[in-house]
Coordinates of all heavy atoms in Angstrom, one line a residue:
L91 N -15.5 -9.7 4.5 CA -15.3 -9.4 3.1 C -14.1 -10.3 2.5 O -13.9 -10.3 1.3 CB -15.0 -8.0 2.8 CG -16.1 -7.0 3.1 CD1 -15.6 -5.6 3.0 CD2 -17.3 -7.3 2.2
G92 N -13.5 -11.0 3.4 CA -12.5 -12.0 2.9 C -11.1 -11.4 2.5 O -10.5 -11.8 1.6
G93 N -10.7 -10.4 3.3 CA -9.4 -9.8 3.1 C -8.9 -9.2 4.4 O -9.6 -9.3 5.4
D94 N -7.7 -8.6 4.4 CA -7.3 -7.9 5.6 C -7.7 -6.4 5.5 O -8.2 -6.0 4.5 CB -5.8 -8.2 5.9 CG -4.9 -7.6 4.8 OD1 -5.3 -6.7 4.1 OD2 -3.7 -8.1 4.8
S96 N -5.9 -3.8 5.0 CA -5.3 -3.0 3.9 C -6.0 -3.3 2.6 O -6.2 -2.5 1.7 CB -3.8 -3.3 3.8 OG -3.6 -4.7 3.5
D97 N -6.5 -4.6 2.4 CA -7.3 -4.9 1.2 C -8.6 -4.1 1.2 O -9.0 -3.6 0.1 CB -7.6 -6.4 1.2 CG -6.4 -7.3 1.1 OD1 -5.4 -6.9 0.6 OD2 -6.5 -8.5 1.7
V98 N -9.3 -4.1 2.3 CA -10.5 -3.3 2.4 C -10.3 -1.9 2.1 O -11.1 -1.2 1.3 CB -11.2 -3.6 3.7 CG1 -12.4 -2.7 3.9 CG2 -11.6 -5.0 3.9
A100 N -7.8 -0.4 0.4 CA -7.4 -0.2 -1.0 C -8.6 -0.3 -1.9 O -8.7 0.4 -2.8 CB -6.3 -1.2 -1.4
T101 N -9.5 -1.3 -1.6 CA -10.7 -1.5 -2.4 C -11.6 -0.2 -2.2 O -12.2 0.2 -3.2 CB -11.5 -2.7 -1.9 OG1 -10.6 -3.8 -2.0 CG2 -12.7 -2.9 -2.7
A102 N -11.7 0.3 -1.0 CA -12.5 1.5 -0.8 C -12.0 2.7 -1.7 O -12.7 3.4 -2.3 CB -12.6 1.9 0.6
A104 N -10.2 2.4 -4.4 CA -10.4 2.1 -5.8 C -11.9 2.4 -6.2 O -12.2 2.9 -7.3 CB -10.1 0.6 -6.1
M105 N -12.8 2.0 -5.3 CA -14.2 2.2 -5.6 C -14.5 3.7 -5.6 O -15.3 4.2 -6.5 CB -15.1 1.5 -4.6 CG -15.1 0.0 -4.7 SD -15.9 -1.0 -3.4 CE -17.4 -0.1 -3.1
P119 N -12.2 1.6 -14.8 CA -12.3 0.8 -13.5 C -11.0 0.7 -12.8 O -11.0 0.1 -11.7 CB -12.8 -0.5 -14.1 CG -12.1 -0.6 -15.4 CD -12.2 0.8 -16.0
A120 N -9.9 1.1 -13.3 CA -8.6 0.9 -12.6 C -8.0 2.2 -12.0 O -8.2 3.2 -12.6 CB -7.6 0.2 -13.5
T121 N -7.4 2.0 -10.9 CA -6.7 3.1 -10.2 C -5.3 2.8 -10.0 O -5.0 1.8 -9.4 CB -7.4 3.4 -8.8 OG1 -8.8 3.7 -9.1 CG2 -6.7 4.6 -8.1
A153 N 0.9 0.0 -7.6 CA -0.2 -1.0 -7.7 C -1.3 -0.5 -8.5 O -1.7 0.7 -8.4 CB -0.6 -1.4 -6.3
R154 N -1.9 -1.4 -9.3 CA -3.0 -1.1 -10.1 C -4.2 -1.8 -9.5 O -4.2 -3.0 -9.5 CB -2.9 -1.4 -11.6 CG -4.0 -1.0 -12.5 CD -3.7 -1.1 -13.9 NE -2.6 -0.3 -14.4 CZ -2.7 1.0 -14.8 NH1 -3.9 1.5 -14.8 NH2 -1.7 1.6 -15.1
L155 N -5.2 -1.1 -9.0 CA -6.4 -1.6 -8.4 C -7.5 -1.6 -9.4 O -8.1 -0.6 -9.7 CB -6.7 -0.8 -7.1 CG -5.6 -0.5 -6.2 CD1 -6.1 0.5 -5.1 CD2 -5.0 -1.8 -5.6
D156 N -7.7 -2.8 -10.0 CA -8.6 -2.9 -11.2 C -9.9 -3.5 -10.8 O -10.0 -4.7 -10.3 CB -7.9 -3.7 -12.3 CG -8.6 -3.6 -13.6 OD1 -9.8 -3.1 -13.6 OD2 -8.0 -4.0 -14.6
L157 N -11.0 -2.8 -10.9 CA -12.3 -3.3 -10.6 C -13.1 -3.7 -11.9 O -14.4 -3.7 -11.8 CB -13.1 -2.2 -9.8 CG -12.5 -1.8 -8.5 CD1 -13.3 -0.6 -7.8 CD2 -12.3 -3.0 -7.6
S158 N -12.4 -4.0 -12.9 CA -13.1 -4.5 -14.1 C -14.0 -5.6 -13.8 O -13.7 -6.6 -13.1 CB -12.1 -4.9 -15.2 OG -11.3 -3.8 -15.6
G159 N -15.2 -5.6 -14.3 CA -16.2 -6.6 -14.1 C -17.0 -6.6 -12.8 O -17.8 -7.4 -12.6
I160 N -16.7 -5.6 -12.0 CA -17.4 -5.4 -10.7 C -18.5 -4.4 -10.9 O -18.4 -3.4 -11.6 CB -16.4 -4.8 -9.6 CG1 -15.2 -5.7 -9.5 CG2 -17.1 -4.6 -8.3 CD1 -15.4 -7.1 -8.9
D161 N -19.7 -4.8 -10.4 CA -20.8 -3.9 -10.5 C -20.6 -2.8 -9.4 O -20.9 -3.0 -8.2 CB -22.1 -4.7 -10.2 CG -23.4 -3.8 -10.3 OD1 -23.3 -2.6 -10.2 OD2 -24.5 -4.4 -10.4
L162 N -20.1 -1.7 -9.8 CA -19.7 -0.6 -8.9 C -20.8 -0.1 -8.1 O -20.7 0.2 -6.9 CB -18.9 0.5 -9.7 CG -18.3 1.6 -8.8 CD1 -17.3 1.0 -7.8 CD2 -17.7 2.7 -9.7
A165 N -21.7 -2.5 -5.4 CA -20.6 -2.5 -4.4 C -20.7 -1.3 -3.5 O -20.5 -1.4 -2.3 CB -19.2 -2.6 -5.1
S170 N -23.4 -7.6 -2.8 CA -22.4 -8.7 -2.9 C -21.2 -8.4 -3.8 O -20.2 -9.0 -3.7 CB -23.1 -10.0 -3.4 OG -23.6 -9.8 -4.8
S171 N -21.4 -7.4 -4.6 CA -20.3 -6.9 -5.5 C -19.1 -6.3 -4.6 O -18.0 -6.3 -5.1 CB -20.7 -6.0 -6.5 OG -21.6 -6.6 -7.4
A172 N -19.4 -5.9 -3.4 CA -18.4 -5.3 -2.6 C -17.4 -6.4 -2.2 O -16.2 -6.2 -2.2 CB -19.0 -4.7 -1.3
V173 N -17.9 -7.6 -1.9 CA -17.1 -8.8 -1.6 C -16.2 -9.1 -2.9 O -15.0 -9.4 -2.8 CB -17.9 -10.0 -1.2 CG1 -17.0 -11.2 -1.1 CG2 -18.6 -9.7 0.1
D174 N -16.8 -9.1 -4.1 CA -16.1 -9.4 -5.3 C -15.0 -8.3 -5.5 O -13.9 -8.7 -5.9 CB -17.0 -9.3 -6.5 CG -18.1 -10.4 -6.4 OD1 -17.9 -11.4 -5.7 OD2 -19.2 -10.2 -7.1
A175 N -15.3 -7.1 -5.2 CA -14.3 -6.0 -5.3 C -13.1 -6.2 -4.4 O -11.9 -6.1 -4.8 CB -14.9 -4.7 -5.0
V176 N -13.4 -6.6 -3.1 CA -12.3 -6.8 -2.1 C -11.4 -8.0 -2.6 O -10.2 -8.0 -2.6 CB -12.8 -7.1 -0.7 CG1 -11.7 -7.5 0.2 CG2 -13.4 -5.8 -0.2
H177 N -12.1 -9.1 -3.1 CA -11.4 -10.3 -3.6 C -10.5 -9.9 -4.8 O -9.3 -10.4 -4.9 CB -12.3 -11.4 -3.9 CG -13.0 -12.0 -2.7 ND1 -13.9 -13.0 -2.8 CD2 -12.9 -11.7 -1.4 CE1 -14.3 -13.3 -1.6 NE2 -13.7 -12.6 -0.7
A178 N -11.0 -9.1 -5.7 CA -10.2 -8.7 -6.9 C -9.0 -7.9 -6.4 O -7.9 -8.2 -6.9 CB -11.1 -7.9 -7.8
V179 N -9.2 -6.9 -5.6 CA -8.0 -6.1 -5.1 C -7.1 -7.0 -4.3 O -5.8 -6.9 -4.5 CB -8.5 -4.9 -4.3 CG1 -7.4 -4.2 -3.6 CG2 -9.2 -3.9 -5.3
R180 N -7.6 -7.8 -3.4 CA -6.7 -8.7 -2.6 C -5.8 -9.5 -3.5 O -4.6 -9.7 -3.3 CB -7.6 -9.6 -1.7 CG -6.8 -10.6 -0.9 CD -7.6 -11.7 -0.4 NE -8.2 -12.5 -1.4 CZ -9.2 -13.2 -1.3 NH1 -9.9 -13.3 -0.2 NH2 -9.7 -13.9 -2.4
D181 N -6.4 -10.1 -4.6 CA -5.7 -11.0 -5.5 C -4.7 -10.2 -6.3 O -3.6 -10.7 -6.6 CB -6.7 -11.7 -6.4 CG -7.5 -12.7 -5.7 OD1 -7.3 -13.0 -4.5 OD2 -8.5 -13.2 -6.3
Q182 N -5.0 -8.9 -6.7 CA -4.0 -8.1 -7.4 C -2.9 -7.7 -6.5 O -1.7 -7.7 -7.0 CB -4.8 -6.8 -7.9 CG -5.8 -7.1 -9.0 CD -6.8 -6.0 -9.2 OE1 -6.6 -4.9 -8.9 NE2 -8.0 -6.4 -9.7
L183 N -3.1 -7.4 -5.3 CA -2.0 -7.1 -4.4 C -1.2 -8.3 -4.0 O 0.0 -8.2 -3.7 CB -2.6 -6.4 -3.1 CG -3.3 -5.1 -3.3 CD1 -3.9 -4.6 -2.0 CD2 -2.3 -4.1 -3.9
A184 N -1.8 -9.5 -4.0 CA -1.0 -10.7 -3.7 C 0.0 -11.1 -4.7 O 1.0 -11.7 -4.3 CB -2.0 -11.9 -3.5
V185 N -0.1 -10.6 -5.9 CA 0.9 -11.0 -6.9 C 2.1 -10.0 -6.9 O 3.1 -10.3 -7.6 CB 0.3 -11.0 -8.4 CG1 -0.8 -12.0 -8.5 CG2 -0.1 -9.6 -8.8
I186 N 2.1 -9.0 -6.1 CA 3.2 -8.1 -5.9 C 4.3 -8.8 -5.2 O 4.1 -9.3 -4.0 CB 2.8 -6.8 -5.3 CG1 1.9 -6.0 -6.2 CG2 4.0 -6.0 -4.9 CD1 1.3 -4.8 -5.6

Side-chain angles (χ1 to χ4, degrees):
L91 296 173
D94 64 22
S96 61
D97 298 329
V98 173
T101 303
M105 289 170 46
T121 302
R154 185 171 296 274
L155 311 174
D156 192 345
L157 300 177
S158 294
I160 303 294
D161 182 341
L162 186 58
S170 63
S171 296
V173 174
D174 297 337
V176 171
H177 290 179
V179 168
R180 178 197 63 201
D181 294 348
Q182 292 159 27
L183 294 177
V185 301
I186 293 176

